[in-house]
Amino acid sequence: MSKTKFNVAVVGATGAVGEQIIGLLEKRDFPVDKLKLLSSARSAGTVLNFKGQEITVEEAGPDSFEGIDIALFSAGGDVSKELAPHAVRHGAVCIDNTNAFRMDPTAPLVVPEVNADQIDKHQGIIANPNCSTIQMVAALKPLYDSYGISRIIVSTYQAVSGAGAKAINEMLRQSKEVLEGRDANPDILPVGSLPVKHQIAFNAIPQIDKFQDNGYTLEEMKMVRETKKIFGDEDIAVTATCVRIPVIYGHSESVYVELKNDYELEEVKQLLAESPGITLVDDPAAQAYPLATDAAGKNDVFVGRVRRDLGNARGLNLWIVSDNLLKGAAWNAVQIAEIIAAKA
Ligand SMILES: NC(=O)c1ccc[n+]([C@@H]2O[C@H](COP(=O)([O-])OP(=O)(O)OC[C@H]3O[C@@H](n4cnc5c(N)ncnc54)[C@H](OP(=O)(O)O)[C@@H]3O)[C@@H](O)[C@H]2O)c1
């Protein structure tokens, strides 16, 4: 590219992730020349603010990408599948937040703390992993490098914002309905074209996305497949159970990991504390551990409750929390964009 300023497009600019991407481009002072904001016809015409400038959102189409250097997609997998190839045709590098290209062998699946070296291998599209995968692999990377990892068992406690702006509204609406003694009317969750919807207010739903033939949900299988691809290690055994809970921002994860080598607990804590992008919050005496409410609005991945498994000396339990809209989506994408910009 050999540029110092970039024409950037945000596809899905009016969504939960898009809003955070625009905010980060501004906060990080990303070298934006022109910013193009794209959505569906529904929100076209909406005026959004970027660095004090009013920008009118346009309907995204195949010709929206002329002159665009970097296109950040967060408008659902179908939109990415349809429009990202057009953006590439116009010479843009696409950073895609959806599931559309994550397992495509030509698209690097990148978490900068883990495999930034893969960015250069792109052929126009770089995939951002699933939010629950990103925070887990970012936290496990220093342990993978120091001890090796043979097995991961993860249970997630995922925020409603992970299912978009509509799911946040549904949770708030249902909470009010229940508090007022009325029936909660489920409409959105579990998200997707599914025949049955469940109440999320005051509840926990052990289904995120549709079920696969093997009894796992798609979200769970994303964690399995993406973890292997990001570490470049097909031998890691991964089992996931993904649960939606009535938290607005921030996914929490209980992670059991089996290391290949012996470890010292204090050394593990030190490694985590020293790793970029990780904040260790682990002081049981002070009841200090990561909380979704504390992680919300921050870019880091927070790790705590670090303790040795009682039945396996190489087993380790961790509690990993991060803002799903930031490190789980917008921040990871903008980090990738910053790396591309720095090399251009
Ligand atoms: N939320 C998360 O934590 C998270 C994390 C990682 C990845 N993601 C992925 O990011 C994507 C967006 O998620 P979100 O939570 O931001 O959803 P959202 O709040 O529902 O926003 C969706 C955005 O996509 C736009 N859009 C929908 N259909 C479109 C179309 N046909 N053409 C162009 N734009 C269209 C919407 O525009 P309108 O305003 O016009 O409807 C809106 O801007 C999803 O694929 C999701 O899986 C989300």
Side-chain angles (χ1 to χ4, degrees):
M1 268 183 227
S2 184
K3 282 195 151 204
T4 50
K5 284 202 152 198
F6 302 85
N7 293 333
V8 177
V10 179
V11 187
T14 50
V17 175
E19 183 188 357
Q20 298 297 327
I21 290 175
I22 297 165
L24 279 169
L25 291 173
E26 174 159 346
K27 213 177 190 171
R28 302 280 305 174
D29 204 13
F30 189 86
V32 174
D33 191 356
K34 275 198 208 119
L35 183 64
K36 194 162 197 177
L37 302 181
L38 301 164
S39 73
S40 79
R42 283 181 296 272
S43 299
T46 306
V47 176
L48 297 176
N49 194 286
F50 178 69
K51 292 190 169 178
Q53 187 196 342
E54 294 196 325
I55 301 178
T56 304
V57 176
E58 297 169 43
E59 183 179 355
D63 296 325
S64 300
F65 303 96
E66 211 173 319
I68 296 297
D69 302 306
I70 298 174
L72 296 141
F73 277 79
S74 63
D78 291 344
V79 175
S80 291
K81 273 186 204 149
E82 189 200 331
L83 295 183
H86 289 288
V88 173
R89 174 170 62 81
H90 280 101
V93 178
C94 299
I95 303 169
D96 183 37
N97 269 294
T98 78
N99 194 33
F101 300 101
R102 288 180 187 149
M103 298 315 294
D104 182 331
T106 68
L109 185 64
V110 176
V111 178
E113 290 83 353
V114 183
N115 61 346
D117 58 310
Q118 296 296 307
I119 292 175
D120 290 340
K121 297 186 182 158
H122 78 80
Q123 297 175 25
I125 298 174
I126 297 163
N128 227 31
N130 183 41
C131 40
S132 39
T133 311
I134 292 178
Q135 64 182 65
M136 182 176 82
V137 298
L140 294 184
K141 167 69 174 169
L143 309 183
Y144 184 88
D145 287 347
S146 296
Y147 310 105
I149 290 176
S150 51
R151 181 178 189 80
I152 300 166
I153 301 173
V154 52
S155 298
T156 69
Y157 304 70
Q158 296 184 219
V160 288
S161 58
K166 282 187 194 149
I168 301 177
N169 294 337
E170 162 130 314
M171 199 268 277
L172 297 174
R173 175 182 55 74
Q174 285 184 1
S175 302
K176 193 162 177 282
E177 284 167 348
V178 174
L179 288 171
E180 289 173 356
R182 291 184 281 140
D183 285 343
N185 286 308
D187 184 33
I188 301 289
L189 295 169
V191 80
S193 358
L194 297 164
V196 179
K197 300 290 174 183
H198 294 298
Q199 174 180 328
I200 183 62
F202 307 100
N203 212 356
I205 304 174
Q207 180 186 0
I208 299 184
D209 221 317
K210 47 188 181 289
F211 278 100
Q212 311 294 285
D213 290 343
N214 64 4
Y216 288 81
T217 62
L218 182 57
E219 182 85 352
E220 290 160 355
M221 290 314 296
K222 284 179 196 170
M223 291 195 80
V224 173
R225 296 190 193 109
E226 293 176 18
T227 299
K228 291 171 190 268
K229 181 170 174 181
I230 296 162
F231 280 120
D233 183 348
E234 283 299 313
D235 294 334
I236 305 182
V238 184
T239 296
T241 302
C242 293
V243 181
R244 186 77 68 191
I245 58 162
V247 158
I248 299 184
Y249 301 112
H251 290 350
S252 303
E253 298 177 342
S254 166
V255 177
Y256 165 79
V257 57
E258 261 170 36
L259 303 177
K260 285 186 176 166
N261 292 291
D262 295 341
Y263 70 87
E264 294 298 331
L265 202 55
E266 283 313 310
E267 191 183 61
V268 163
K269 290 185 189 178
Q270 197 180 334
L271 278 170
L272 289 166
E274 288 169 356
S275 293
I278 306 291
T279 299
L280 182 71
V281 185
D282 195 21
D283 185 358
Q287 288 177 264
Y289 31 72
L291 292 171
T293 45
D294 294 334
K298 301 192 179 108
N299 287 346
D300 263 13
V301 174
F302 297 84
V303 185
R305 302 293 322 276
V306 182
R307 61 212 191 277
R308 193 181 294 278
D309 184 74
L310 298 176
N312 179 352
R314 289 183 180 173
L316 181 70
N317 288 295
L318 308 155
W319 179 248
I320 301 171
V321 180
S322 196
D323 188 325
N324 50 295
L325 293 178
L326 290 173
K327 184 58 186 167
W331 170 230
N332 200 71
V334 171
Q335 262 182 309
I336 294 170
E338 286 185 354
I339 294 169
I340 292 169
K343 288 185 177 179

